[in-house]
Amino acid sequence: MAMKTVEESHVGISCYISNLPGFRGVLKQRYSDFIVNEVDRDGQVVHLSSLDAPPEEEQRSVQETGTNTSESDTTTVTSYAALLDSFKSLAGDSDAGCLEEFLNQINTGDDKSVAPLVLSPDSNKSHRTAVHKFFKGNFKFLVTDTVDGPDASSKCIRVRLNSGGPNNNGRNSKKRKERGDKPFDSRGSKSWPENVEKFLRFHLYKENKDTQEALGVIGKMLGIQSRSFGFAGTKDKRAVSTQRVTVYKQLASRVASLNERLFGIKVGDFCYVNEGLVLGQLSGNRFTITLRGVVADSEDTIKASADALGRHGFINYFGLQRFGSGSVPTHLIGAALFRGEWELAVDMILDPRDGEKEAIAKARKYYKDGKDIEGTLRQLPRYLVAERAVLQNLKKSPGNYVQALKAIPRTLRMMYVHSYQSFLWNHAASTRVQKYGTEQVVLGDLVYCKENPTGKVTGIVGPECDDDCGDRYDSNIEEEVSEDTQEESNNYVKVVTAEDLNLGCYTIEDVILPMPGSRVIYPTNDVAKVYHDLADKDRISLMECVHNVKEFSITNVTGSYRRVFQKPINFEWELLKYADSTKPLVETDLDKIIKSKPVNGVRPVGASDAKKEDNTRELENSNDGANIEADDNEIEGEEVILPQDESVSGTNSQDFQTALKMSFTLPTSCYATMAIRELLKTSTSVAYHKTLNQ
């Protein structure tokens, strides 16, 4: 059932709006060629403009906490002389010396390379208890347990670094268990000032990292769990992106102090707010995309295609990222769930797949060969949330595959369901274009009634996954829309009649198609048939369920609607000429900050680490949340020759290459890669774009 890689034709992506010829262009040759800025609900584009905490923050942080928070991490692991003397009197010179060496390793080396410390054999249980209490009371960043000693009558205490960092109380501690159902990690917040809002909002800037990875790094440095963070949607990995994030009860000065230690991540533009962000609280994303190595019959071809994209838009397909970038497409897992094939679904989530990092591939093969859950969990990275959740549940309840699937976070497990719905939608959209064209509404189409006061289409929004996050959780899911809202939306949907056609009430831009579910209606023309034919081929009924697990039932998913055609908003483009392919062609938010005010410890993209941007392209974009209404398109085009460094200033004109830079905004369920596909008339698959740079 697995395939080498997901191709566009496999998931219903096959048509274009315009008949203009395409041209060659490389997408994401460098990750800085793909810049994403979140657009908030007020229509403001989110930028990183400052790395500093508010001026009054430094003084307040010292007054409230009694310490300089920027130095807190180092002070907790540097001064242990008095504690070591106390431990020496408790455990002896030998163990005290070993502990001192162990602490020095932690202080100077990589945490992951520090092996656990096993103390001398101890057959006295009360003494071992005293040692456990000593560590618990004095070394919060260490955890202890008891292991077998060299002989049957003795035990040894093992000391190891707590993976949660200096401020963590231990993965299995009572306090952590008590926090299990709480929405936020409240450690360190007991002395929070009453006059300060409980959430710190900041702008997260990241390069070549996905949102979860970046917040994981920040959370570890702060010693807090990921549940403390809120954000409106996930952003691309292979990109430079800026988005809003909230964190529960953290001082701006403490978070700002991390900038000196963060690589490829920066935080800034701090303010305190009353509520944290949740998924979907944005109106779209602003993209700045540079296609390098552009080759066409003539520049007129490029200009005509860019103008056509701005005026007519593109088919609003769910991009390849929606279906995962590995060899096990997420829609196939969704199909297995709809059929009730639980064990198959679990196997597809855990099985080896092509194109993954060596360590992950090794862990997957290790499990498939030996079914050693404990050993596999030790090898799997923590960001593989779905795999780890399934394995941990199978460890507790062997053979209970339904329960293992339900152990996956809801937003993530529903991604598989939504992926199959998207698979059907894409095929339906292609059928609509093939049978009825792209110029006019036809009898039996679905549209929103003109009486709909909002004019908005409720859409299921999906993540743009990359090779590293393949099955990571969805940026916004259908159940974010309340049932009342969903019913109201469906009431506004109507089938186009002959009278509507005669009156000319609707245009091609009004045409919508359903995401299958129990509360949607289907077109009354030939497009409806493709939904049922494809589902029947996969042994799935869209009208009834074969099992009683509601959340994996097509009859329990409410469904929604999505526009078939989408225009880019505030579309601008320009042709650039460049000679050095290693240099960025567009300034990022961080570049602008550095240019205006140099900051210690911060390097712009394209500085000394320019060579580190390899040629691996992971085609993903950001699509999360609610929809926005399109303004009148602003289409601008011009040609610019970029100034070169002295080393290339004498380059002959024939050595210059052409790049096409575009800036546009898309509502949150639209895929920028599908806009690029309309322009180039080529596949957006990773495999294809890799070949362009060979």
Side-chain angles (χ1 to χ4, degrees), residues 48 51 205 207 240 242 264-266 587-597 599 602-605:
L48 183 74
L51 301 177
Y205 168 97
E207 302 172 352
V240 176
T242 306
I265 304 170
K266 296 298 169 216
E587 281 189 337
T588 66
D589 287 348
L590 186 57
D591 292 335
K592 294 172 183 176
I593 291 176
I594 293 170
K595 179 183 288 187
S596 63
K597 179 183 177 182
V599 180
V602 176
R603 291 180 297 164
V605 174

Side-chain angles (χ1 to χ4, degrees), residues 11 25 62 80 95 157 198 278 402 410 589 613 627:
V11 293
V62 174
Y80 297 120
D95 282 345
I157 290 178
K198 293 182 179 180
V278 296
V402 174
R410 179 169 176 77
D589 287 348
E613 290 197 30
N627 287 359

Side-chain angles (χ1 to χ4, degrees), residues 364-381:
R364 290 187 187 276
K365 186 175 186 304
Y366 177 82
Y367 176 74
K368 189 173 181 65
D369 292 344
K371 302 298 181 182
D372 178 4
I373 294 177
E374 192 67 48
T376 306
L377 285 170
R378 284 196 294 268
Q379 298 180 48
L380 277 179

